[in-house]
Structures are given as C-alpha cells and as structure tokens.
Amino acid sequence: MAEKEMRTLSNGVNMPEIGFGTYLLDNLQARSCVGQALQDGYRLIDGAAFYGNETGVGQGIRDAMQSGVSREDLFVVSKVWKDSMGYELTMASFEKTLRELQLEYLDLYLIHWPSGDHELDRSSWQALIDLYKSGKARAIGVSNFKPEDLMPLFDMEIVPMVNQIMVYPGWKQDTVTSFCRQHGIQVMAWSPLGRGRVLNNHLLRQIAAAYGKSTAQICLRWEIQKGFVPVPKSVSPARIRENLDVFDFELTTGQMQAIDSLPPME
Ligand code: NDP
C-alpha cells in the first residue's frame, strides 16, 4: 500500500509529495479553496505573484492556522514573474509576496520562467541565493527551465533545488526530467491533469476502473511514482479531496510503462 511521504531536496529540506495549485483562482476562491485544501490535509500550496491572488491565498492559510494547522507543517511556494527579473526587482517582488501572504518566510521561491537572457536570469538567481542565505526562503528553484537555461546557473554559489515544469501523462518531458535527476533537482509537475485534456483517455480510464479510482487520481499517482511533485488545482471541494486521495493504491510497473508510452494528447 502506498503511503504519503516527503521528498528531500538537495539542501535537506523536506517537501510534501503533492500540493494544491492556485492558478486562475480569484482572491475569494483562493481563500476558500486553500483553506479547504489545508483542512483536507494538503500541506504544500503552489502560488505565484502572477496569479494575482496571494492576498486570498494568505487568508486561506491564516484560516487554516486558526483551526490548528501550524506554519511549520506548511510548505508555501511562490514565484517571481517575468516583469520582475533582475536583482532589485526580484527582491521587491519577493517582499510584496510576503506582505500579501502575510508570512515571515517562504518554503520555496522560484523564478517563474527563464527570461531568455542568461545574465538577467543569473541576476535574479543571485537574489534568490541571498534570500535563501538570509533564511527568508527555505529552498529556491526555477520553473520552466530547460537544460540550456539551467546550465548558466551551475557555476553560481547555489544550484536550483527544484524545477517546476508542465508534466502529465502524454507529456512527460524526458529530456528535462532526466537532466534534473542527474543534477539532484526535484521536479514539480504543473498542469498534472493536463488541464483536463487527458481525463477521457481510454488507457487511463481502464486503469482507473481497475482500482475504483478516477482518471485524475491515476494521473497524480503516475506523477508521484515517477518521483515528481504534482500540484493539481480545483475549485470543487469534492475534487480537491479526490486529488489528495491517491495514497491507498500503487500502479504496477507495467501500468507505469503503459502510461509512459502514451502519445501527446490534444
Ligand atoms: P490542472 O492539470 O491541475 O487541471 C486543472 C483543471 O482540471 C481545472 O479545470 C479543474 O477544474 C480540473 N480538475 C481538477 N481536479 C479534477 C478532477 N479530480 N477531475 C476532473 N477534473 C479536475 O491544471 P493547472 O494548469 O491549473 O495546473 C495546476 C497548478 O500548476 C496551477 O494551479 C499552478 O499552481 C501550477 N501552474 C504552474 C505553471 C508554471 O508556469 N509554473 C503554469 C501553470 C500552472 P475544477 O477547478 O472545476 O475542478
């Protein structure tokens, strides 16, 4: 039987193996969905300055803390957006995120997208290194970085601990994920349900039926068994709960390989 575990990042910090995504939630939804997700047992919340809802995310976190969830058990993630690249702007964006969330520190801070300019990426990365060294971010990383975007950071004092990329059945990103594995970088899977586009797939439905699970749960289980950290998003209380209910079964090697072989799906 599968059990909920933690992923240990290269700096020794433990990260939950599944999280709750907050993209496309407005502030009110963010408050209620994050609050509910935390009550249901999620401990990782994936946010970003770009989502424009960090005030609501922060309120949801505080609601949960008032009901007994402790800050130390949470793993709060945010990201610096493309319009705030460069040392000073990245620092300012981080402080704005902390103010909006009303938190003293983040558990993980990411560069949301590579800028296309390695020097600019390096200067934002230096800001993240300084935030990490000051204790304001317990871990740091990037998102949507390919090997050629990651390599220019490798001669800096600290190497990214996480790369958050789009991964779902039929979109498994072998080149980036194996590069990350080789370099000790934990992969987080965004759009882990392919934004719904894979949920009617025949193979996934067959496997789901065999376990009495939903196709969404099969996607999440596949990602977890591949060693990724998926961050599914939902506004539906039932689906928020469903997406966390993936620790009472385990896909076989054959099923994992069959899902690995799925072609890209539109
Ligand atoms: P997901 O793959 O999580 O899919 C979300 C969609 O699936 C929504 O339409 C949701 O609808 C539906 N859904 C959720 N659960 C179920 C279920 N159990 N059964 C059926 N349908 C379901 O896509 P996202 O793009 O939202 O990605 C998740 C998170 O990843 C984001 O919220 C964000 O945190 C992160 N992300 C990061 C990016 C980056 O660049 N780093 C880019 C994009 C996303 P409903 O809400 O109605 O349930």
Side-chain angles (χ1 to χ4, degrees), residues 2-23:
E3 272 183 35
K4 206 166 3 85
E5 288 171 4
M6 301 291 259
R7 305 280 178 212
T8 303
L9 302 181
S10 57
N11 64 340
V13 163
N14 281 330
M15 172 183 189
E17 61 180 341
I18 189 167
F20 181 69
T22 61
Y23 184 39

Side-chain angles (χ1 to χ4, degrees), residues 19-25 45-48 50-51 79 81 110-113 142-144 164-168 188-197 199 214-217 220 223 230-240 242-243:
F20 181 69
T22 61
Y23 184 39
L24 295 179
L25 301 176
I45 301 296
D46 182 63
F50 177 66
Y51 303 163
K79 316 179 189 86
W81 186 239
L110 307 175
I111 297 179
H112 206 142
W113 284 89
V142 295
S143 177
N144 303 301
Q164 183 180 118
I165 56 174
M166 183 167 78
V167 175
Y168 53 86
M188 288 178 80
W190 66 256
S191 285
L193 311 175
R195 289 201 183 140
R197 60 168 85 70
L199 298 182
S214 69
T215 46
Q217 289 170 318
L220 297 167
E223 284 137 15
V231 286
K233 165 264 169 192
S234 178
V235 291
S236 144
R239 287 193 288 269
I240 292 175
E242 173 187 325
N243 293 342

Side-chain angles (χ1 to χ4, degrees), residues 107-127:
D107 296 279
L108 176 64
Y109 197 49
L110 307 175
I111 297 179
H112 206 142
W113 284 89
S115 65
D117 170 346
H118 294 329
E119 280 315 308
L120 198 53
D121 290 351
R122 284 167 63 88
S123 112
S124 276
W125 185 246
Q126 186 58 52

Side-chain angles (χ1 to χ4, degrees), residues 36-137:
Q36 196 217 313
L38 293 174
Q39 286 304 323
D40 286 344
Y42 288 84
R43 287 296 173 263
L44 187 163
I45 301 296
D46 182 63
F50 177 66
Y51 303 163
N53 58 10
E54 295 202 295
T55 308
V57 170
Q59 284 167 328
I61 290 173
R62 275 194 306 290
D63 292 343
M65 283 167 57
Q66 273 161 16
S67 319
V69 175
S70 76
R71 174 68 186 94
E72 298 72 53
D73 290 336
L74 296 181
F75 197 93
V76 182
V77 184
S78 186
K79 316 179 189 86
V80 55
W81 186 239
K82 295 172 185 179
D83 62 3
S84 301
M85 293 298 281
Y87 190 92
E88 298 298 339
L89 289 178
T90 296
M91 283 296 195
S93 184
F94 179 87
E95 291 302 332
K96 182 163 184 266
T97 284
L98 274 195
R99 266 197 316 276
E100 292 194 350
L101 291 170
Q102 291 196 34
L103 293 177
E104 306 277 310
Y105 67 91
L106 290 185
D107 296 279
L108 176 64
Y109 197 49
L110 307 175
I111 297 179
H112 206 142
W113 284 89
S115 65
D117 170 346
H118 294 329
E119 280 315 308
L120 198 53
D121 290 351
R122 284 167 63 88
S123 112
S124 276
W125 185 246
Q126 186 58 52
L128 267 63
I129 290 175
D130 290 347
L131 290 167
Y132 174 68
K133 287 167 74 176
S134 74
K136 287 185 158 185

Side-chain angles (χ1 to χ4, degrees), residues 1-2 169 203-204 206-226 246-260:
M1 193 73 79
L203 171 74
L204 295 176
Q206 266 185 335
I207 297 174
Y211 289 104
K213 290 282 175 183
S214 69
T215 46
Q217 289 170 318
I218 300 302
C219 292
L220 297 167
R221 190 69 227 162
W222 172 79
E223 284 137 15
I224 289 168
Q225 286 184 219
K226 286 190 82 68
V246 293
F247 295 97
D248 59 355
F249 73 109
E250 202 155 330
L251 299 171
T252 64
T253 308
Q255 289 165 338
M256 288 295 290
Q257 285 167 350
I259 300 175
D260 280 349

